[in-house]
Structure formats: structure tokens, C-alpha cells
Amino acid sequence: MDCEQIRELLDAYALGAADAREAAAIEEHVADCVRCWSSLEEAQRVAASLALSTVLQKAPQSLRSRVLAEAERRQQPALPSFPGRLRWLWPAATGALAAGAVAAATFALVLQAEVNDLRDDRDRLASDTQNAGAVLEEQRQLMAVLAAPDARQINLQPADPGSEALAVYYWSSSTRTGALLSSNLPPLSQGRVYQVWLLTGDEVYDVGSFESWNGVGQLSMDMQGVSGRPVGIGVSIEDAEGAEEPREMFLFAEFPR
Amino acid sequence: MVPNRQLLNELKSGLARVNVSSSDPEYRQLGDEELMRRLQYRDKRAFEAIFDRYGDLVYSTALRVLRDAHLAQDISQEIFARLWRKPVSYVAERGRFLTWLISVTRNRAVDEVRSRGRRQRHETASPEEQQRELPAGNANDPALNAQLAEEAGAIRAALAGLPGEQREVIDLAYFGGLTQQEISQRLDQPLGTVKTRIRLGMQKLRAALAPEMRPE
């Protein structure tokens, strides 16, 4: 459909009266047409104004109580507990982080290989070696982002003003890669991870998760799958298998417009 | 009580006044977008302020669609729970917060009606009936939401100025949750006639509300 045909349908769509076929055509069209999107937004404002013609009824006080109680219940963060034993730590990268672009980074990352007695730790050593390799690869990706000529950064703030958690997000538009460095993170209980989200105008993208050690954590990200201009980045605490959408942001930053 | 001129000017400058409530006075002065921005940080005072500002309107909208006070409360609670759980759902670049909130409320209420298989007959209130239903005023806060009250007055006047058949189809669509096809069948009118009435009615509303629809 062309713009003229679409605009004939926008009022019905804004009122929720368009059929499925028309609605699909409109949604597909306005995704790429700023003028029609603007017309739709105006129609939706008119439609929403209709609600103001409604006789305003005072909501029962019990509704307020219920709404605020539910928010209170959902406010509680996951109960953290210090992990009993940590198998691998982060590589030392202080020297590399002295590069000018990351002079503001204050995190110290430490790698230690853990070796137990031979009989019990043969498999564990193999697993640790694999993990260490993965960590080193992560560091390489991190360095690539930091070293990009168009690398930029933004500080994330904790949702709880009393929290001392810090995070910095670095990204390179040219390479479409990003990296999150964090410190002063509270320890997580078993089976919990920090999950990172990138928000665009239309979507919330899961860009990965990480665990922390000694309050320090990091994640490098490939942003090739992210469509649209990011408007924000956040970190939430989720189950290890990951969540489809964030329950609540633990750390957050909104990109400048 | 008639709001004084200074108060009206403050309200017209974009500050929405809220119900007298326990929400933080400082937060009552914040605009919708700032409150939503703070809500992303799980700021409960921002959440309270949003509820106190729009809780009645959300409830009233749900009630108008559902015609059931208990269901309206449930839907209203769900709307605000979703807002708390996922404030990122609202993106400022996509339009006014109030537009988004009302749209979400209305759509959810209509979904509820449809899922329950209910097809209520929405009787469009005549201008005389609407006049009788107007609230006497909020004794706690007579200047309650004066900015919204101005907009409410404008839309009511605009609706009253529509031919009855245009007002009827718009009401059936928006509050009745009917598609154009369903309205055509309900009223036993050709589909083309229904489409034309919707388009012309919305055109007139748009023109009547143009001075009110300032960019946010």
C-alpha cells in the first residue's frame, strides 16, 4: 500500500478498529515511513483523548494499596550469598587497560589457574584450561573494543542509590562491538548471573550474561544482531539460564539523544 | 473553587498537578518523562507519583470499556504492575506518555472483553446524559489535573459537535472494541459507510483538538 492508502486506514487503526490485514500493512509501512508514522502518532493522540471524555471515577483506595504493595514485593533483589568456591578468576589486564581510551577504568582483573590433586582434578584441569582459553578470548575482544578509534563510553548507574556498584559500557559503532566492565558488584547466589540488555526504540536485546568474582565482572558483546539505534543499556540479575526480558534493572544508563 | 491565574499558568507550562495523596510533593512537580526515567531506576516515589497522577484515569478508562468495577480494578492493577516491571516499554521518542498509557489500558481492557466472549452493547451517552454524569469536583483537590481537565473539556465539546452517527461508530470502535466490520454488522450499515464515518469523525476531532495537541 502507498502512503495515501495507509493514511486512509490510520484513524481506524488508532481506534483499534482496523482488521488484522490492514493492521499488518500499517505496521509494516510506518516502520519505514516517518511521515505516516507521524500521522499515526497524531491519530493515536486523538484516540487516547477519547479516554478523557470518560467520567472520571475515583479508583478505590484498595487499588492504590494493592498496586504499591505489588511494587514493594517486586522491589526485593535476589538474596546474594558469597560463592563457596571460585574456580577461575579474570586475567590481569592492568597494563593493557592503561591505554588512553580506558584511563578512566579502575578495575583490576586477575587470572589465577587453580590446580588440585591430580586424581580428582584431571577433568577439572581440562575444564579450567578451556575456561581460561575462553577468558583470554574475552580479553582479546575487550581490547579490540577499547582500541577502536571510535570507541565511546558511558557510565551506568545503580538503581539503588545506596549501592556502590559501578559499570562502564564501551562501544565501537564501526566494529559493532561493545564491552561492559563492572566492579563493586554484590555477590550472587548460586545459579544467578548478571544479564546485560540493550534497549532500542522497539526492542530489548539480550546481549549476554556474566558472573562476578570479588565484585568484578565484564562482558564483551557482538552487536551485529541489534537493529535500530540503542537508547539505553542495563544490567539485571537473573537465573543462570537467562531471562527473556529483564525483571528489573540493577544498573542502567540512557544514551544521550 | 476556581484555580487562580498563577496556578493555571503553572499548569499550562507543563506541570501536571496530581491528586492530594501521600506521593512526594517534589515528585508531583516532575513531568511524565522524568518520572518514567526515574522509574527505570526502580524509584518507588516516581511510581507512586505516576499512580496518583493517572490511577483514576486508568481505572475510569478500564471501567468504561469493561463496565465492571472489579474487572476494571484487576486490569488497572495489571497495567501498573506491568509499568513497574517493565518501564522500558514506554519509549519517549514514540510519543506522549499519557497517550501510551491510555492506549495500553484501553487495549488490555478490550482484550479482556474479547477473551471473555462478551459483546456489550455500548450505548453512546447523549450530551444531556454526559452533562449529568460530570463529577461535582474533587473536594480534596479542586484544581485536580487542571491541565487534563482542560483537555477533557475540549474532547467532550468536540464529541458533542459530531453528528450522532459519527460519534456512535467512534464510541463502538474505541470503547466497544469492535472492528469496522463488526460495527457494520452491529448497526446493519455498509462497511464503506462505517469507514467513512470513522474517518470523517476523527478528522473533525483532530481539527477541534488541534490547539490542545501541543507537541510534548
Side-chain angles (χ1 to χ4, degrees):
Chain A
M1 291 188 188
D2 59 26
C3 288
E4 191 177 332
Q5 291 170 311
I6 289 294
R7 288 206 198 115
E8 298 261 304
L9 304 174
L10 291 182
D11 287 329
Y13 180 87
L15 292 171
D19 65 34
R21 185 188 62 83
E22 292 170 337
I26 291 166
E27 287 160 10
E28 184 181 349
H29 182 92
V30 299
D32 293 317
C33 179
V34 174
R35 287 186 66 184
C36 287
W37 180 88
S38 179
S39 298
L40 173 59
E41 201 263 338
E42 186 185 42
Q44 287 174 324
R45 285 190 70 174
V46 173
S49 295
L50 293 169
L52 294 176
S53 70
T54 300
V55 172
L56 201 62
Q57 303 282 351
K58 181 72 181 162
Q61 184 60 29
S62 59
L63 175 61
R64 187 178 195 276
S65 305
R66 283 158 57 185
V67 166
L68 297 183
E70 184 162 357
E72 181 69 40
R73 185 171 57 80
R74 289 178 183 273
Q75 176 85 18
Q76 300 306 319
L79 292 174
S81 63
F82 196 80
R85 183 174 183 182
L86 294 166
R87 299 179 56 197
W88 49 280
L89 303 175
W90 300 94
T94 312
L97 289 176
V102 297
T106 58
F107 316 126
L109 306 177
V110 178
L111 174 65
Q112 276 188 316
E114 189 179 71
V115 177
N116 297 308
D117 71 78
L118 293 174
R119 183 173 60 87
D120 292 336
D121 289 345
R122 238 181 342 194
D123 291 340
R124 182 175 296 180
L125 182 58
S127 176
D128 283 349
T129 301
Q130 192 175 16
N131 287 341
V135 168
L136 287 171
E137 173 60 20
E138 177 109 357
Q139 293 309 300
R140 189 199 65 75
Q141 293 173 6
L142 168 63
M143 291 304 114
V145 175
L146 302 177
D150 64 337
R152 298 176 62 190
Q153 69 182 76
I154 190 169
N155 295 334
L156 283 73
Q157 302 298 328
D160 175 8
S163 169
E164 295 181 348
L166 299 171
V168 182
Y169 173 62
Y170 299 90
W171 77 96
S172 160
S173 299
S174 62
T175 61
R176 295 184 66 78
T177 54
L180 185 89
L181 301 182
S182 52
S183 70
N184 294 341
L185 298 174
L188 298 180
S189 54
Q190 192 80 6
R192 305 282 278 173
V193 297
Y194 290 101
Q195 193 163 353
V196 184
W197 309 88
L198 203 64
L199 288 61
T200 66
D202 300 309
E203 298 282 345
V204 180
Y205 291 89
D206 166 18
V207 289
S209 60
F210 64 93
E211 298 174 43
S212 65
W213 168 233
N214 261 355
V216 172
Q218 70 176 57
L219 180 72
S220 59
M221 304 162 226
D222 181 349
M223 318 302 275
Q224 301 293 338
V226 175
S227 174
R229 185 179 73 82
V231 298
I233 182 165
V235 180
S236 66
I237 299 172
E238 310 291 349
D239 293 332
E241 59 264 24
E244 291 189 6
E245 57 180 42
R247 288 190 307 149
E248 46 189 290
M249 293 299 189
F250 172 69
L251 292 158
F252 189 79
E254 191 175 342
F255 292 112
R257 295 185 190 179
Chain B
M1 179 179 117
V2 176
N4 63 39
R5 181 154 300 281
Q6 180 183 357
L7 178 60
L8 273 177
N9 288 337
E10 284 176 1
L11 290 168
K12 285 180 180 175
S13 73
L15 300 174
R17 184 74 179 271
V18 299
N19 278 328
V20 171
S21 65
S22 58
S23 58
D24 192 315
E26 176 198 328
Y27 279 69
R28 286 187 222 149
Q29 304 302 316
L30 299 175
D32 293 344
E33 287 191 23
E34 176 58 22
L35 288 175
M36 285 304 296
R37 191 189 71 80
R38 295 189 185 206
L39 190 58
Q40 290 175 0
Y41 290 83
R42 288 295 176 267
D43 187 335
K44 279 192 291 185
R45 287 178 295 174
F47 183 63
E48 276 191 54
I50 289 173
F51 181 86
D52 288 336
R53 185 173 294 178
Y54 294 125
D56 290 346
L57 185 56
V58 166
Y59 173 72
S60 301
T61 301
L63 185 61
R64 175 89 180 262
V65 174
L66 292 161
R67 301 294 175 100
D68 182 310
H70 292 296
L71 275 178
Q73 286 187 56
D74 289 345
I75 295 300
S76 301
Q77 183 177 347
E78 184 183 318
I79 294 297
F80 281 100
R82 190 191 302 180
L83 193 67
W84 173 254
R85 198 171 60 242
K86 198 176 176 184
V88 295
S89 303
Y90 167 66
V91 180
E93 287 88 349
R94 299 188 81 177
R96 189 185 184 195
F97 172 73
L98 179 58
T99 301
W100 174 84
L101 183 64
I102 292 302
S103 300
V104 167
T105 302
R106 176 263 172 201
N107 292 343
R108 179 65 190 93
V110 165
D111 285 346
E112 184 67 20
V113 169
R114 288 183 176 152
S115 70
R116 287 171 180 259
R118 296 161 66 159
R119 288 292 181 264
Q120 298 145 283
R121 281 201 70 84
H122 274 260
E123 302 295 339
T124 306
S126 68
E128 293 75 20
E129 287 170 328
Q130 287 182 17
Q131 192 62 34
R132 282 200 296 276
E133 289 170 354
L134 281 175
N138 188 315
N140 289 329
D141 190 350
L144 172 67
N145 288 334
Q147 182 178 356
L148 291 183
E150 275 192 62
E151 295 186 37
I155 185 67
R156 285 176 186 154
L159 281 168
L162 291 186
E165 62 270 17
Q166 291 177 9
R167 190 169 55 242
E168 182 180 34
V169 296
I170 287 174
D171 186 81
L172 285 171
Y174 194 71
F175 293 108
L178 302 183
T179 63
Q180 293 178 116
Q181 182 65 47
E182 289 168 337
I183 296 171
S184 166
Q185 290 165 353
R186 167 77 66 89
L187 300 180
D188 195 23
Q189 293 285 333
L191 179 60
T193 302
V194 170
K195 289 185 173 184
T196 300
R197 286 175 181 172
I198 282 180
R199 203 167 60 249
L200 291 178
M202 288 288 281
Q203 219 170 59
K204 290 194 181 77
L205 290 179
R206 202 165 15 250
L209 294 175
E212 301 299 327
M213 289 175 64
R214 302 177 291 275
E216 289 291 316

